[in-house]
Amino acid sequence: MSALAPLLTSRWGNERAWTLDAYQRTGGYQALREALRMEPAEVLNTVKDSGLRGRGGAGFPTGVKWSFLPPPDGGPRYLVVNADESEPGTCKDIPLMMADPHSLIEGIIITSYAIGCHHAFIYLRGEVVHVYRRLLNAVTEARRAGLLGSSVMGSGYELELTVHAGAGAYICGEETALLDSLEGRRGQPRLKPPFPAVAGLYARPTVVNNVESIASVPWIIAGGADWWKSMGTEKSTGVGIYSLSGHVVRPGQYEAPLGITMRELLELAGGVRAGHRLKFWMPGGSSTPMFTPEHLDVPLDYDSVVAAGSMLGTRALQCFDETVCVVWAVSRWMDFYAHESCGKCTPCREGTFWLRSVLRRIEAGLGRPEDMQILQDIPNSIVGRAFCPLGDGAPSSLTSSLKFFYDEYVQHIQLGGCPFDHKASYLFEAVTA
Amino acid sequence: MSTPDLVACTIDGIEIEVPKDTLIIRAAEEAGIMIPRFCDHPLLKPVAACRQCLVDVASPAGPEGKLRAFPKPQPACAISVTPGMVVNTQLSSEAAKNAQEQVAELILINHPLDCPICDKGGECPLQNQAMSTGRSVSRFEDKKNTFPKPLALTPQILLDRERCVLCQRCVRFAAQIPGDPFIALQKRGANQQIGRFDPSVLGVAETAGQLADQTAGDIPAICGEPFAGYFAGNIIQICPVGALTSAAYRFRARPFDLVSTETVAEHDSNGSAIRVDYRRGTVLRRLAGDDPSLNQEWISDKDRFAFRWQAAPDRLERPLVRQGDQLVEVSWPEGIRAAVEIFDSATNPAVLPGGRLTLEDAYAYSVFARTVLGTDSVDFRARPSSHEEAQFLAHFVAGAGLGVSLDDLAQAPAVLLAGFEPEDEGGIIFLRLREADTKVYSVAPFASRGLRRLGGKLLRALPGGEASALDALSSAADGPRAEAAAALKGGVIVVGERLASSPGAYTAALAAADRLGARLVWIPRRAGERAAVEAGLLPGLAPAGRSLDALADDVAETVFGGPMGLTPGLDLPGIIAAAQAGSVDAVLMGGLELADLPDPRAASAALNTAKVVALQVRGDSISPWADVILPVAPPQEKAGTFINWEGRLRPFPQVLTSTALSDARVLQVLADQLGFESRIGELATSHQVFGWLGKPSARRAAPAVAPRAPRPLGAGQAVLSTWRYQVDDSAALDGEPYLAASAPAPVARISAVTARAVGVRQGDYLNVSTSGGTITLPVAIDDLPEGVVHLPAKSPGSWTLVTLTATDGDLVGISAAHGPKEVAR
């Protein structure tokens, strides 16, 4: 298994791929036509049968999530698409929405039809203004074409779609914080239960799904559950977008069946930059434990990665060669988590603040031997103590780096500074003021 | 065996049964186990933010009910116990203990550890839990987060952000309890902080000016308003660290130097449970007490902060006697002698005891008037009043015992308010109605901010037109009235003292209660009014609801020491008129202010004519009129019993050591000197009398007053709507500038239509005039009926009785003013 399987990314290179015309010329909205001929329950069951798992990181079966909605009671129920892609290294939803927004909209219409939703939302990371414009345009096009509005494709099924730009907070990628933010409140995670399926947006039954999950739905409807299951592994079906970044020759999005290995992906991407070798890599974004070259043959599906000690996350494969100081890299990530901690719970708020303080001190050559104990203890004070999973993920890079590169930390402390030449790792000319 | 409503679980090996839906942290308390916590508060919804209460939890799962443990420790404050749940706290689980210690370490890294100079030091949950759960030595040696301090959230509440552990109790209180969401979490991560709308903190200084423009006047905007509700002070008390302090108490004392006494607050008719803390004879602060059936753990800011009046600079220590133009300080025997001379030579004395008395003192005035002075001219109502109201009180309130309770009110299917603003005139009643989400209707000219926060429905009535509005409540009426009529079956109608200015309203309220199958309750503002009614401080009314003229001789013997045979007395307006005319020649006065009387100017003239003996805590307000002033004790220097509006006895002990005498004791001395042997000064007597008398066998006649016909308004005329705001120019706030500064800004409310007719806009100034004078205030456009103007009754620049000699329902003139004017008090 080594071939790429471009589905979600198949249109990205087309001429003006983001327009309705271009989308429809390549079979766009055919799956929707098919879905509208089916009963909603049939659509739901097809997605359930396909084994599609959430592409936002947690990997929960998408169809099962839909089926958690209580039976209709006459009141509104909502679909909210989580497009708040903010994890360092993660870069799949934004190019998808940029290049092929209609595939997401088609997925939203089909999903809304399946779950009985008449008003769907896309919660978009606010910084990506260009994507926001693309989405707004695409929604306008779809509405004009009768794909949204009072009668979708003349079927009598009614759907409104609202695109909402967030204000730039990592926490708003957490589904309940996202819902609070969408309601106009401060984005902080909610106490569960009640879960969004029971009381989500405006306290009504709500499905929150990742962009890539929803964009996969038209493919599943068009090709059928069995076809989808024929790709990937038994428990991680279908294809997914792998985003390679860092010290690789051809960084970018590679769409492949789940279960492909890093070794295969690296080959496709032209390998690590010339003259260098891989030191460590992140399998699923900066909140998943790091891997080393010894993990190159781990199948990149949900369960194999967990078995190997990390998480598939968002398949954001960041590659670092031997020029990179792991303390430096981890310290930058900790800056991110300290800055993005929402502040609601003590462990994440104070723990990331403390870890950032210690890591910066070690980097600056002011580390002390007792800091090594603190670096090992504080992650334990955060993981399993924090309010939401984002806190649990915050120290992953640190903990795993200590597992593989403990000596590098000790070296910083003993030397009173960093033994690496940071400029050697730059992929671009260093700018000196 | 569990009963259906109880859930059996095991906590640290202790098997207990608790009601369904009990949180683990509460269940553990039942078992005597204290789980450390910060954000948890029993009266607030769980938030599970601080993570200090993590415990190990396992529940039976699967068909065989095998215990399955949660993979990680769970917050005890947010999870309800389920049948068979096994909880292991820090006492029996190493993992839970470890988790709690980890969180405690993190909580403290950014805390300044300035306990030696912190108000909370010595009574601080953080300090206690740092001792029980924290490390003895900190491992954190990096730079702590610092903030400029303090930040003033309100004039009286200051925030030290460094000390804050971000438990959000204050924010949740503000949003959940009074519904004053003017503080919020701001920023994020370690920079997260509590704050009000502060452009310099939020970094929006440039746009703040525009915001201020948009919220000019009195538009109740959430954004940019100061955090200043009537209940804000509660956040100081529930703060689990020393982050929130009060401007008046900050740095004044250490908790371990204070002596605490549980007592009862004197500022409204609820009789809220409070705790008074004093040191070396000086009261330094008051806190909410804990009375689940009354004020729960909340009190109004007035009950919390307004206590310095009791030790104000004009506090009297010795009697004063008039010599020429001057009041001269004399010894007690001289003062008593001077008072005795006045009463000995009086031919037609009268008694104005005021509405703030304890039952004991009220009873003493009642007996003193009828036996020693031989007069029935006695009226406690130091406010606008009516004959209809006196009839209503004698018929419905006096001797009725316990009636509608606050619990009843909160749990009623619906509550109708008439002449009663729930927040300004109800205090903690507002909080209970809001907490219970009770369905509320209000007969009022407009929906006040308090009513809106209760989600209450307005049944619009012109001031003075409440009677017609009450009469119109029936299933045959239009929409909201029919809805209210139906909802009130088994509900409660609340009537406030303001209905005294609305002819026929009490008559209509009695009829409405009867017609709709609702219960009725009278809720006055002042702490002593219910006791005054019970003691018979109205003409013709004997204690315990008996009629004075029909009092059997043996009962009269018991109460008064002999048969009565008094001529029917005068009420307060009658007494003032008679004194002005010279027929009432001596007046015995208790604690009241002339500015609160219906016609302060007439009262002043009358008291200048008659001889006045006044029993006063303080001297200033009464001095110009009195001939003899005998000092009496404020509540904190005597024991006594308030009767709250429910009819519940609220006994309180003497807090401070004092030589000051209660009113009853002074009246006893006067009676002795005047040659009477009534035993009015003894604490026990008044209580015994009520026991002897039992309930009255026959109700006195109900009032039967017809509603006032609608009055046509001339050009530039309006009907005045007015009531006392909870925080205003009350003498109770003397010495407490921080609280006074949190009062709502006085504005004149009119409708847009009325404003156009007068030619004013939002923020312009409006003149409100009578022949007595003019009040000038900024205009606030609100949803009022056409031709109605609302003013605060006694707020800065707006003393309606003093300036206008007008009250709720009276006609006033309105016109555009050309600028702010200095209005003399």
Side-chain angles (χ1 to χ4, degrees), chain A residues 151-174:
Chain A
S151 179
V152 172
M153 281 185 163
S155 64
Y157 168 66
E158 184 185 349
L159 179 66
E160 269 310 312
L161 174 58
T162 299
V163 184
H164 177 88
Y170 178 62
I171 188 61
C172 291
E174 197 283 333

mmCIF file of all heavy atoms in Angstrom, chain A residues 151-174:
data_model
loop_
_atom_site.group_PDB
_atom_site.id
_atom_site.type_symbol
_atom_site.label_atom_id
_atom_site.label_comp_id
_atom_site.label_asym_id
_atom_site.label_seq_id
_atom_site.Cartn_x
_atom_site.Cartn_y
_atom_site.Cartn_z
ATOM 1 N N SER A 151 -35.814 25.165 -0.348
ATOM 2 C CA SER A 151 -36.063 23.853 -0.944
ATOM 3 C C SER A 151 -34.803 23.390 -1.661
ATOM 4 O O SER A 151 -34.539 23.761 -2.808
ATOM 5 C CB SER A 151 -37.243 23.930 -1.923
ATOM 6 O OG SER A 151 -37.459 22.665 -2.498
ATOM 7 N N VAL A 152 -34.020 22.585 -0.957
ATOM 8 C CA VAL A 152 -32.740 22.149 -1.496
ATOM 9 C C VAL A 152 -32.976 21.273 -2.721
ATOM 10 O O VAL A 152 -33.651 20.244 -2.632
ATOM 11 C CB VAL A 152 -31.937 21.374 -0.436
ATOM 12 C CG1 VAL A 152 -30.685 20.759 -1.065
ATOM 13 C CG2 VAL A 152 -31.578 22.293 0.725
ATOM 14 N N MET A 153 -32.458 21.684 -3.872
ATOM 15 C CA MET A 153 -32.626 20.955 -5.139
ATOM 16 C C MET A 153 -34.090 20.646 -5.425
ATOM 17 O O MET A 153 -34.411 19.606 -6.010
ATOM 18 C CB MET A 153 -31.837 19.641 -5.115
ATOM 19 C CG MET A 153 -30.353 19.854 -5.377
ATOM 20 S SD MET A 153 -29.517 18.261 -5.488
ATOM 21 C CE MET A 153 -27.996 18.742 -6.274
ATOM 22 N N GLY A 154 -34.967 21.546 -4.947
ATOM 23 C CA GLY A 154 -36.386 21.355 -5.214
ATOM 24 C C GLY A 154 -37.011 20.213 -4.440
ATOM 25 O O GLY A 154 -38.137 19.796 -4.720
ATOM 26 N N SER A 155 -36.313 19.710 -3.434
ATOM 27 C CA SER A 155 -36.815 18.537 -2.707
ATOM 28 C C SER A 155 -37.807 18.916 -1.619
ATOM 29 O O SER A 155 -38.464 18.069 -1.036
ATOM 30 C CB SER A 155 -35.645 17.812 -2.042
ATOM 31 O OG SER A 155 -35.074 18.675 -1.060
ATOM 32 N N GLY A 156 -37.891 20.224 -1.319
ATOM 33 C CA GLY A 156 -38.732 20.645 -0.202
ATOM 34 C C GLY A 156 -37.983 20.654 1.116
ATOM 35 O O GLY A 156 -38.465 21.167 2.119
ATOM 36 N N TYR A 157 -36.804 20.070 1.107
ATOM 37 C CA TYR A 157 -35.990 20.088 2.337
ATOM 38 C C TYR A 157 -35.337 21.459 2.479
ATOM 39 O O TYR A 157 -34.741 21.971 1.530
ATOM 40 C CB TYR A 157 -34.934 18.976 2.282
ATOM 41 C CG TYR A 157 -33.876 19.105 3.353
ATOM 42 C CD1 TYR A 157 -34.215 18.963 4.704
ATOM 43 C CD2 TYR A 157 -32.552 19.390 3.018
ATOM 44 C CE1 TYR A 157 -33.252 19.113 5.691
ATOM 45 C CE2 TYR A 157 -31.589 19.534 3.985
ATOM 46 C CZ TYR A 157 -31.941 19.398 5.325
ATOM 47 O OH TYR A 157 -30.998 19.558 6.292
ATOM 48 N N GLU A 158 -35.460 22.062 3.670
ATOM 49 C CA GLU A 158 -35.007 23.432 3.899
ATOM 50 C C GLU A 158 -33.721 23.443 4.721
ATOM 51 O O GLU A 158 -33.610 22.729 5.721
ATOM 52 C CB GLU A 158 -36.098 24.214 4.637
ATOM 53 C CG GLU A 158 -35.741 25.671 4.822
ATOM 54 C CD GLU A 158 -36.778 26.429 5.667
ATOM 55 O OE1 GLU A 158 -37.860 25.849 5.909
ATOM 56 O OE2 GLU A 158 -36.490 27.556 6.062
ATOM 57 N N LEU A 159 -32.771 24.254 4.278
ATOM 58 C CA LEU A 159 -31.521 24.353 5.062
ATOM 59 C C LEU A 159 -30.900 25.734 4.909
ATOM 60 O O LEU A 159 -30.719 26.235 3.794
ATOM 61 C CB LEU A 159 -30.514 23.288 4.601
ATOM 62 C CG LEU A 159 -29.167 23.329 5.346
ATOM 63 C CD1 LEU A 159 -29.343 22.956 6.824
ATOM 64 C CD2 LEU A 159 -28.146 22.403 4.695
ATOM 65 N N GLU A 160 -30.551 26.325 6.048
ATOM 66 C CA GLU A 160 -29.769 27.555 6.074
ATOM 67 C C GLU A 160 -28.353 27.201 6.506
ATOM 68 O O GLU A 160 -28.156 26.279 7.318
ATOM 69 C CB GLU A 160 -30.367 28.550 7.075
ATOM 70 C CG GLU A 160 -31.381 29.503 6.467
ATOM 71 C CD GLU A 160 -30.863 30.180 5.215
ATOM 72 O OE1 GLU A 160 -29.725 30.686 5.236
ATOM 73 O OE2 GLU A 160 -31.591 30.187 4.188
ATOM 74 N N LEU A 161 -27.394 27.927 5.977
ATOM 75 C CA LEU A 161 -26.003 27.689 6.380
ATOM 76 C C LEU A 161 -25.368 29.023 6.726
ATOM 77 O O LEU A 161 -25.382 29.964 5.922
ATOM 78 C CB LEU A 161 -25.239 26.996 5.245
ATOM 79 C CG LEU A 161 -23.732 26.797 5.450
ATOM 80 C CD1 LEU A 161 -23.455 25.989 6.726
ATOM 81 C CD2 LEU A 161 -23.102 26.098 4.249
ATOM 82 N N THR A 162 -24.828 29.101 7.940
ATOM 83 C CA THR A 162 -24.186 30.329 8.395
ATOM 84 C C THR A 162 -22.693 30.073 8.577
ATOM 85 O O THR A 162 -22.315 29.089 9.208
ATOM 86 C CB THR A 162 -24.792 30.788 9.739
ATOM 87 O OG1 THR A 162 -26.184 31.031 9.543
ATOM 88 C CG2 THR A 162 -24.111 32.056 10.244
ATOM 89 N N VAL A 163 -21.890 30.947 8.006
ATOM 90 C CA VAL A 163 -20.440 30.852 8.212
ATOM 91 C C VAL A 163 -20.060 31.883 9.261
ATOM 92 O O VAL A 163 -20.377 33.069 9.124
ATOM 93 C CB VAL A 163 -19.671 31.139 6.909
ATOM 94 C CG1 VAL A 163 -18.178 30.925 7.130
ATOM 95 C CG2 VAL A 163 -20.187 30.268 5.786
ATOM 96 N N HIS A 164 -19.436 31.418 10.336
ATOM 97 C CA HIS A 164 -19.077 32.321 11.426
ATOM 98 C C HIS A 164 -17.568 32.302 11.618
ATOM 99 O O HIS A 164 -16.974 31.225 11.722
ATOM 100 C CB HIS A 164 -19.775 31.883 12.716
ATOM 101 C CG HIS A 164 -19.404 32.713 13.908
ATOM 102 N ND1 HIS A 164 -20.063 33.871 14.242
ATOM 103 C CD2 HIS A 164 -18.417 32.570 14.818
ATOM 104 C CE1 HIS A 164 -19.497 34.395 15.318
ATOM 105 N NE2 HIS A 164 -18.502 33.625 15.683
ATOM 106 N N ALA A 165 -16.970 33.484 11.661
ATOM 107 C CA ALA A 165 -15.526 33.555 11.898
ATOM 108 C C ALA A 165 -15.265 33.778 13.380
ATOM 109 O O ALA A 165 -15.815 34.696 13.980
ATOM 110 C CB ALA A 165 -14.927 34.694 11.080
ATOM 111 N N GLY A 166 -14.454 32.905 13.947
ATOM 112 C CA GLY A 166 -14.083 33.053 15.357
ATOM 113 C C GLY A 166 -13.107 34.200 15.520
ATOM 114 O O GLY A 166 -12.754 34.893 14.566
ATOM 115 N N ALA A 167 -12.660 34.396 16.771
ATOM 116 C CA ALA A 167 -11.781 35.529 17.034
ATOM 117 C C ALA A 167 -10.352 35.085 17.320
ATOM 118 O O ALA A 167 -9.540 35.866 17.784
ATOM 119 C CB ALA A 167 -12.326 36.353 18.196
ATOM 120 N N GLY A 168 -10.064 33.820 17.039
ATOM 121 C CA GLY A 168 -8.679 33.396 17.172
ATOM 122 C C GLY A 168 -8.331 32.853 18.530
ATOM 123 O O GLY A 168 -7.596 33.473 19.291
ATOM 124 N N ALA A 169 -8.902 31.716 18.875
ATOM 125 C CA ALA A 169 -8.554 31.079 20.142
ATOM 126 C C ALA A 169 -8.488 29.574 19.919
ATOM 127 O O ALA A 169 -9.434 28.987 19.404
ATOM 128 C CB ALA A 169 -9.595 31.407 21.211
ATOM 129 N N TYR A 170 -7.361 28.994 20.291
ATOM 130 C CA TYR A 170 -7.160 27.550 20.137
ATOM 131 C C TYR A 170 -8.270 26.773 20.838
ATOM 132 O O TYR A 170 -8.761 25.776 20.342
ATOM 133 C CB TYR A 170 -5.796 27.201 20.739
ATOM 134 C CG TYR A 170 -5.406 25.741 20.719
ATOM 135 C CD1 TYR A 170 -5.263 25.043 19.520
ATOM 136 C CD2 TYR A 170 -5.131 25.069 21.908
ATOM 137 C CE1 TYR A 170 -4.862 23.717 19.509
ATOM 138 C CE2 TYR A 170 -4.728 23.741 21.905
ATOM 139 C CZ TYR A 170 -4.600 23.067 20.704
ATOM 140 O OH TYR A 170 -4.199 21.758 20.709
ATOM 141 N N ILE A 171 -8.707 27.304 22.019
ATOM 142 C CA ILE A 171 -9.704 26.583 22.819
ATOM 143 C C ILE A 171 -11.007 26.402 22.048
ATOM 144 O O ILE A 171 -11.754 25.462 22.284
ATOM 145 C CB ILE A 171 -9.955 27.302 24.166
ATOM 146 C CG1 ILE A 171 -10.845 26.469 25.098
ATOM 147 C CG2 ILE A 171 -10.589 28.668 23.946
ATOM 148 C CD1 ILE A 171 -10.264 25.138 25.483
ATOM 149 N N CYS A 172 -11.281 27.310 21.109
ATOM 150 C CA CYS A 172 -12.560 27.216 20.411
ATOM 151 C C CYS A 172 -12.606 26.055 19.425
ATOM 152 O O CYS A 172 -13.628 25.807 18.790
ATOM 153 C CB CYS A 172 -12.900 28.538 19.730
ATOM 154 S SG CYS A 172 -13.278 29.805 20.941
ATOM 155 N N GLY A 173 -11.498 25.306 19.315
ATOM 156 C CA GLY A 173 -11.551 24.050 18.584
ATOM 157 C C GLY A 173 -12.137 22.944 19.443
ATOM 158 O O GLY A 173 -12.523 21.889 18.930
ATOM 159 N N GLU A 174 -12.210 23.164 20.775
ATOM 160 C CA GLU A 174 -12.880 22.213 21.667
ATOM 161 C C GLU A 174 -14.366 22.413 21.456
ATOM 162 O O GLU A 174 -14.852 23.551 21.499
ATOM 163 C CB GLU A 174 -12.460 22.476 23.108
ATOM 164 C CG GLU A 174 -12.738 21.358 24.093
ATOM 165 C CD GLU A 174 -14.189 21.275 24.524
ATOM 166 O OE1 GLU A 174 -14.879 22.321 24.505
ATOM 167 O OE2 GLU A 174 -14.647 20.182 24.859
#
